[in-house]
Each structure stands twice: as C-alpha cells, then as structure tokens.
Amino acid sequence: MPSHVRVVIAPDKFKGTLPADGVAAAVAAGLRRTRDDGLEIAECPIADGGDGTVAAAVAAGYRFVPVTATGPTGKPVETGFARDERTAVVELASVSGLSLLPGGELEPLTANTIGVGELIKAALDEGCRRIVLGVGGSAGTDGGAGLVRALGAGLLDADGAELAPGGAALLSLARLDLGGFDPRVREAEFVIASDVDNPLLGPHGAAAVYGPQKGADDNQVGLLDDAMRRWSGVVESALGERFADAPGAGAAGGTGFAALALLGARFRPGIDVVMELTRFAELLPGADLVITGEGSLDEQTLHGKGPAGIAAAAAARGIPVVAVAGRSALSRQMLRENGFSAAYALTDVEPDVARCMSATAEVLEELAVRVGEDWL
C-alpha cells in the first residue's frame, strides 16, 4: 500500500434520499475509517444540469444569491442562483421544477417557467453577462414561454390580449411582441446545460417523451405537442429561423427551444458544463482513485448522466474509477466499456431496501468502508 493516496470523490445526488454533497461526505467518512494516515480526499459534488447544479457551483466556491421568484403554478418560491465575477448559474428545477408543485399536484397544462426568466433577470441585474442555464426536472411543458414573458416579451392572442401562463394556452398564440424584451439579453452569453438532446416536436419531442412524467395523459400530450408547434411557428416567423429541430430544443418542457431561439444560447452536455464550473479536471493530477455515483446506475447513466462524464474524464488519464449507487443494473462489461473499474450498491452491505432509502448516508458510509478496503 502506498504511503500516500489521493482520492477524488465526485458523485451526483442519490435522488430523493441524499444530495450530492451528502453523498460525497458519507463516502469520505467511510474511506477515513479504513485509513487514518496518508489519505488525501477532495470532495467535488456534481450534477448534470438538473437539480443540484447550483449546489455544485456553490460547493466549488460560487456565491449563492437568494431570490424570491414565481413558482411553477404562480405561487412565490424562495430560490436563487450561484455566481462568481461574471457567470451566473441558474437552475430551472429550483424555481419551476416538479418538486415545487403545491401539494405535489401535477399541472401539465398550466405549469410555467416564469420564475426561470425572473432568475435570469436577477442575474442580469447583478451584472452577470454569462449565464449557465441548467435545465431538467421541469414541472410543465410551456416551451420556455414563461421565461421569455418574464424578460419582457408579449405573448398575444388574436385580439391582442396576453395569454394565460402554461403550455396549453399557447394554442391561442397569434403574435410574439419583442418590443419590450430586455436588451441586456443581447449583451449576455447563455449556455444550456442539459443531459437530454431531444427536439421540441413530434414523437421524440418535449411533450411526447417527457409530458407523461409531468402528469399529461395521451390527449394532453397531443394538445401540448400542438401547442409547441404553434409556439415554435410564431417564434420562427418572428425571427426568420427554425430552432424546433435543434438538439436540446425539447429539454425541460421545451425551455431549451426558447433559450436557443430567443436567448441565443449554446447547447452543451450538462456534465461537461458542471465539470468546468467545479474545475474537476484540476483535481485529477496526482489522483490515485476517483469515486463517483448516483442513486440508480443503469443504461440511462451512460447517456449524458454525471457519473459517465466523470468516468470518461478520469479513465482518459488512466485513473481507476469506482461508482457507488443505490442500485446498479450495469454488467461488468458495460462498466468497463464506459470507464468504470467497479460498481458498488447499497444493497451490497444492507439487503433491507427500506433502510437503504431511510438511512442512506449511514449505509453509504458502510459501503465506502468496503470500497476503501478494496482500493486503498
């Protein structure tokens, strides 16, 4: 055993049970139980553009700026964004996310993204001119219409009246008025951070793929897809350019579309953006082991999720990568092919799934002891 070992712990959240920083802390505690000297640990909680993105930035040294903004159904929520000198990190899930629906009641036709636009406006007010927009976990499918409304755009029906918030109302959209659109948007650089690259419309679009997760039945999915078609048509008529087919346009209930079309945003994989925000690459020189993970390690993990990005970056430098998870459904071959040396699941040390869910930090610490015994 070498006299000095350096470990980088860079996990995503265990969704519904433990945030990413809690995962990192539990793993670190378990490792320290296996070795009390010559062990150097760097904790770097991550996210992939969804919930936890702002927390990852704050853990990396960004300052949290609190904001009261409009929630997905119009009720105010206490939220905020992370910032450094000129960059702001705005997380859709923290203001327009499913978890913020009052009483957990799904509102697929009326939930909106007004609060996202309010956070962007607050960041512009603070002087930020590079805005990273983490999208994921949205409560509705409004195509980002609420976002642009909050920045001064008018969404008008045939009589010139403002539309009600939400995706369904866009079926009545006749005109987009950009006369009052915040001019600072043109001065700023916007980056969409997302783990999905769906288009806006059709069978692979925002409504069809993600609408059911937000409570939409088959009829409502069709209605919302028609509404997105109407919305994109009006926007594209106003701008003279088509964005509905662009990768990421369907992200977060179509918020990606509004960001691409009306904010001039660039689309990037969320984990790539978060690794830059957290300066993950700077932690790798001299590392002997990287530990990553998330609640469920499965085939979805391999398509843009945080642990896959971490594994690829570390494996490219020849550093072993171990994953910890609530459950792991990946074969050893799939793990090896994607840069993982091994994977450990909570049920490896605690067969009671209910306890794994209720005492995740404790069980994860025990699992990390096993990782430490095997790798340190």
Side-chain angles (χ1 to χ4, degrees), residues 264-290:
R266 291 184 300 122
F267 173 85
R268 294 188 60 202
I271 182 56
D272 291 355
V273 176
V274 172
M275 284 195 293
E276 288 179 9
L277 292 174
T278 58
R279 299 180 177 87
F280 173 72
E282 296 176 17
L283 301 176
L284 292 179
D288 300 290
L289 178 68
V290 170

Side-chain angles (χ1 to χ4, degrees), residues 90-127:
V90 172
E91 178 187 308
L92 180 146
S94 75
V95 66
S96 302
L98 275 166
S99 63
L100 297 173
L101 289 167
E105 290 289 328
L106 300 175
E107 299 287 353
L109 302 183
T110 56
N112 67 80
T113 54
I114 290 171
V116 183
E118 291 173 344
L119 282 178
I120 291 171
K121 185 175 185 299
L124 293 170
D125 290 345
E126 284 267 323

Side-chain angles (χ1 to χ4, degrees), residues 7-11 27 31 288-294 297 307 310-311 314-315 319-325 335 339-345 367-368 370-372 374-376:
V7 181
V8 178
I9 305 173
V27 172
L31 296 183
D288 300 290
L289 178 68
V290 170
I291 300 175
T292 186
E294 63 180 344
L297 202 67
I310 294 294
I319 304 169
V321 182
V322 169
V324 293
L335 289 166
F340 296 97
S341 300
Y344 295 73
L367 185 65
R370 180 172 295 187
V371 174
D374 290 348
W375 291 89
L376 300 187

Side-chain angles (χ1 to χ4, degrees), residues 139-164:
T141 308
D142 79 340
L147 182 163
V148 298
R149 183 199 300 267
L151 291 171
L155 280 68
L156 310 175
D157 65 16
D159 296 322
E162 275 282 348
L163 298 184

Side-chain angles (χ1 to χ4, degrees), residues 320-373:
V321 182
V322 169
V324 293
R327 60 180 287 273
S328 176
L330 296 177
S331 68
R332 289 181 181 178
Q333 180 179 346
M334 293 174 75
L335 289 166
R336 285 195 302 270
E337 289 174 351
N338 288 276
F340 296 97
S341 300
Y344 295 73
L346 295 183
T347 48
D348 293 346
V349 296
E350 175 52 81
D352 183 354
V353 175
R355 183 165 183 269
C356 290
M357 297 289 288
S358 64
T360 305
E362 294 173 31
V363 179
L364 183 57
E365 183 176 330
E366 292 297 329
L367 185 65
V369 170
R370 180 172 295 187
V371 174
E373 291 170 346

